[in-house]
PDB file of all heavy atoms in Angstrom:
ATOM      1  N   HIS B  54     -11.393   4.554  24.829  1.00 92.00           N
ATOM      2  CA  HIS B  54     -10.199   4.385  24.027  1.00 92.00           C
ATOM      3  C   HIS B  54     -10.058   5.553  23.048  1.00 92.00           C
ATOM      4  O   HIS B  54     -10.979   6.362  22.879  1.00 92.00           O
ATOM      5  CB  HIS B  54     -10.254   3.055  23.275  1.00 92.00           C
ATOM      6  CG  HIS B  54     -10.137   1.867  24.171  1.00 92.00           C
ATOM      7  ND1 HIS B  54     -10.056   0.580  23.695  1.00 92.00           N
ATOM      8  CD2 HIS B  54     -10.094   1.762  25.522  1.00 92.00           C
ATOM      9  CE1 HIS B  54      -9.966  -0.270  24.707  1.00 92.00           C
ATOM     10  NE2 HIS B  54      -9.989   0.425  25.833  1.00 92.00           N
ATOM     11  N   ALA B  55      -8.910   5.610  22.399  1.00 95.00           N
ATOM     12  CA  ALA B  55      -8.574   6.751  21.543  1.00 95.00           C
ATOM     13  C   ALA B  55      -9.607   6.976  20.444  1.00 95.00           C
ATOM     14  O   ALA B  55     -10.015   8.111  20.175  1.00 95.00           O
ATOM     15  CB  ALA B  55      -7.192   6.535  20.923  1.00 95.00           C
ATOM     16  N   GLU B  56     -10.046   5.887  19.801  1.00 95.00           N
ATOM     17  CA  GLU B  56     -10.990   6.006  18.689  1.00 95.00           C
ATOM     18  C   GLU B  56     -12.291   6.672  19.138  1.00 95.00           C
ATOM     19  O   GLU B  56     -12.839   7.539  18.441  1.00 95.00           O
ATOM     20  CB  GLU B  56     -11.302   4.623  18.102  1.00 95.00           C
ATOM     21  CG  GLU B  56     -10.079   3.907  17.556  1.00 95.00           C
ATOM     22  CD  GLU B  56      -9.461   2.953  18.560  1.00 95.00           C
ATOM     23  OE1 GLU B  56      -9.378   3.337  19.765  1.00 95.00           O
ATOM     24  OE2 GLU B  56      -9.053   1.865  18.172  1.00 95.00           O
ATOM     25  N   LYS B  57     -12.764   6.264  20.301  1.00 95.00           N
ATOM     26  CA  LYS B  57     -14.041   6.799  20.791  1.00 95.00           C
ATOM     27  C   LYS B  57     -13.924   8.267  21.160  1.00 95.00           C
ATOM     28  O   LYS B  57     -14.853   9.055  20.939  1.00 95.00           O
ATOM     29  CB  LYS B  57     -14.533   5.974  21.971  1.00 95.00           C
ATOM     30  CG  LYS B  57     -14.899   4.553  21.593  1.00 95.00           C
ATOM     31  CD  LYS B  57     -15.360   3.754  22.799  1.00 95.00           C
ATOM     32  CE  LYS B  57     -15.678   2.322  22.411  1.00 95.00           C
ATOM     33  NZ  LYS B  57     -16.074   1.503  23.583  1.00 95.00           N
ATOM     34  N   VAL B  58     -12.800   8.651  21.717  1.00 95.00           N
ATOM     35  CA  VAL B  58     -12.577  10.060  22.067  1.00 95.00           C
ATOM     36  C   VAL B  58     -12.564  10.907  20.802  1.00 95.00           C
ATOM     37  O   VAL B  58     -13.195  11.972  20.726  1.00 95.00           O
ATOM     38  CB  VAL B  58     -11.258  10.240  22.844  1.00 95.00           C
ATOM     39  CG1 VAL B  58     -10.995  11.708  23.124  1.00 95.00           C
ATOM     40  CG2 VAL B  58     -11.310   9.454  24.159  1.00 95.00           C
ATOM     41  N   ALA B  59     -11.855  10.434  19.778  1.00 97.00           N
ATOM     42  CA  ALA B  59     -11.763  11.172  18.519  1.00 97.00           C
ATOM     43  C   ALA B  59     -13.109  11.234  17.810  1.00 97.00           C
ATOM     44  O   ALA B  59     -13.492  12.283  17.258  1.00 97.00           O
ATOM     45  CB  ALA B  59     -10.714  10.535  17.614  1.00 97.00           C
ATOM     46  N   LEU B  60     -13.835  10.132  17.802  1.00 96.00           N
ATOM     47  CA  LEU B  60     -15.145  10.093  17.138  1.00 96.00           C
ATOM     48  C   LEU B  60     -16.147  10.983  17.853  1.00 96.00           C
ATOM     49  O   LEU B  60     -16.993  11.630  17.213  1.00 96.00           O
ATOM     50  CB  LEU B  60     -15.658   8.655  17.080  1.00 96.00           C
ATOM     51  CG  LEU B  60     -14.901   7.705  16.146  1.00 96.00           C
ATOM     52  CD1 LEU B  60     -15.353   6.273  16.351  1.00 96.00           C
ATOM     53  CD2 LEU B  60     -15.091   8.130  14.694  1.00 96.00           C
ATOM     54  N   ARG B  61     -16.073  11.012  19.160  1.00 95.00           N
ATOM     55  CA  ARG B  61     -16.973  11.879  19.927  1.00 95.00           C
ATOM     56  C   ARG B  61     -16.731  13.337  19.578  1.00 95.00           C
ATOM     57  O   ARG B  61     -17.670  14.125  19.430  1.00 95.00           O
ATOM     58  CB  ARG B  61     -16.768  11.649  21.421  1.00 95.00           C
ATOM     59  CG  ARG B  61     -17.736  12.401  22.317  1.00 95.00           C
ATOM     60  CD  ARG B  61     -17.422  12.132  23.776  1.00 95.00           C
ATOM     61  NE  ARG B  61     -17.465  10.708  24.070  1.00 95.00           N
ATOM     62  CZ  ARG B  61     -16.865  10.143  25.116  1.00 95.00           C
ATOM     63  NH1 ARG B  61     -16.134  10.892  25.941  1.00 95.00           N
ATOM     64  NH2 ARG B  61     -16.978   8.847  25.333  1.00 95.00           N
ATOM     65  N   MET B  62     -15.460  13.727  19.421  1.00 96.00           N
ATOM     66  CA  MET B  62     -15.143  15.099  19.051  1.00 96.00           C
ATOM     67  C   MET B  62     -15.632  15.406  17.629  1.00 96.00           C
ATOM     68  O   MET B  62     -16.155  16.491  17.360  1.00 96.00           O
ATOM     69  CB  MET B  62     -13.643  15.350  19.131  1.00 96.00           C
ATOM     70  CG  MET B  62     -13.221  16.772  18.750  1.00 96.00           C
ATOM     71  SD  MET B  62     -11.413  17.006  18.758  1.00 96.00           S
ATOM     72  CE  MET B  62     -11.061  16.793  20.497  1.00 96.00           C
ATOM     73  N   ALA B  63     -15.485  14.439  16.741  1.00 96.00           N
ATOM     74  CA  ALA B  63     -15.880  14.648  15.348  1.00 96.00           C
ATOM     75  C   ALA B  63     -17.393  14.725  15.198  1.00 96.00           C
ATOM     76  O   ALA B  63     -17.907  15.462  14.337  1.00 96.00           O
ATOM     77  CB  ALA B  63     -15.328  13.521  14.483  1.00 96.00           C
ATOM     78  N   GLY B  64     -18.130  13.968  15.988  1.00 95.00           N
ATOM     79  CA  GLY B  64     -19.592  13.978  15.888  1.00 95.00           C
ATOM     80  C   GLY B  64     -20.071  13.529  14.524  1.00 95.00           C
ATOM     81  O   GLY B  64     -19.563  12.565  13.935  1.00 95.00           O
ATOM     82  N   LYS B  65     -21.020  14.275  13.950  1.00 95.00           N
ATOM     83  CA  LYS B  65     -21.592  13.925  12.648  1.00 95.00           C
ATOM     84  C   LYS B  65     -20.580  14.057  11.514  1.00 95.00           C
ATOM     85  O   LYS B  65     -20.766  13.464  10.440  1.00 95.00           O
ATOM     86  CB  LYS B  65     -22.808  14.798  12.363  1.00 95.00           C
ATOM     87  CG  LYS B  65     -23.976  14.561  13.315  1.00 95.00           C
ATOM     88  CD  LYS B  65     -25.157  15.451  12.962  1.00 95.00           C
ATOM     89  CE  LYS B  65     -26.327  15.199  13.911  1.00 95.00           C
ATOM     90  NZ  LYS B  65     -27.504  16.062  13.595  1.00 95.00           N
ATOM     91  N   ARG B  66     -19.499  14.799  11.742  1.00 97.00           N
ATOM     92  CA  ARG B  66     -18.488  14.973  10.701  1.00 97.00           C
ATOM     93  C   ARG B  66     -17.692  13.694  10.459  1.00 97.00           C
ATOM     94  O   ARG B  66     -16.898  13.603   9.519  1.00 97.00           O
ATOM     95  CB  ARG B  66     -17.548  16.121  11.068  1.00 97.00           C
ATOM     96  CG  ARG B  66     -18.219  17.489  11.068  1.00 97.00           C
ATOM     97  CD  ARG B  66     -17.293  18.563  11.594  1.00 97.00           C
ATOM     98  NE  ARG B  66     -16.970  18.348  13.021  1.00 97.00           N
ATOM     99  CZ  ARG B  66     -16.167  19.120  13.732  1.00 97.00           C
ATOM    100  NH1 ARG B  66     -15.584  20.173  13.150  1.00 97.00           N
ATOM    101  NH2 ARG B  66     -15.951  18.862  15.005  1.00 97.00           N
ATOM    102  N   ALA B  67     -17.898  12.678  11.326  1.00 96.00           N
ATOM    103  CA  ALA B  67     -17.204  11.401  11.143  1.00 96.00           C
ATOM    104  C   ALA B  67     -17.770  10.600   9.974  1.00 96.00           C
ATOM    105  O   ALA B  67     -17.102   9.696   9.450  1.00 96.00           O
ATOM    106  CB  ALA B  67     -17.299  10.582  12.421  1.00 96.00           C
ATOM    107  N   THR B  68     -18.977  10.935   9.536  1.00 96.00           N
ATOM    108  CA  THR B  68     -19.587  10.215   8.416  1.00 96.00           C
ATOM    109  C   THR B  68     -18.740  10.381   7.151  1.00 96.00           C
ATOM    110  O   THR B  68     -18.415  11.513   6.755  1.00 96.00           O
ATOM    111  CB  THR B  68     -21.012  10.738   8.152  1.00 96.00           C
ATOM    112  OG1 THR B  68     -21.799  10.571   9.341  1.00 96.00           O
ATOM    113  CG2 THR B  68     -21.660   9.974   7.015  1.00 96.00           C
TER     114      THR B  68
END
Side-chain angles (χ1 to χ4, degrees):
H54 291 185
E56 300 95 319
K57 294 179 182 178
V58 176
L60 291 170
R61 185 181 303 159
M62 180 184 294
K65 294 181 179 180
R66 293 173 295 179
T68 302

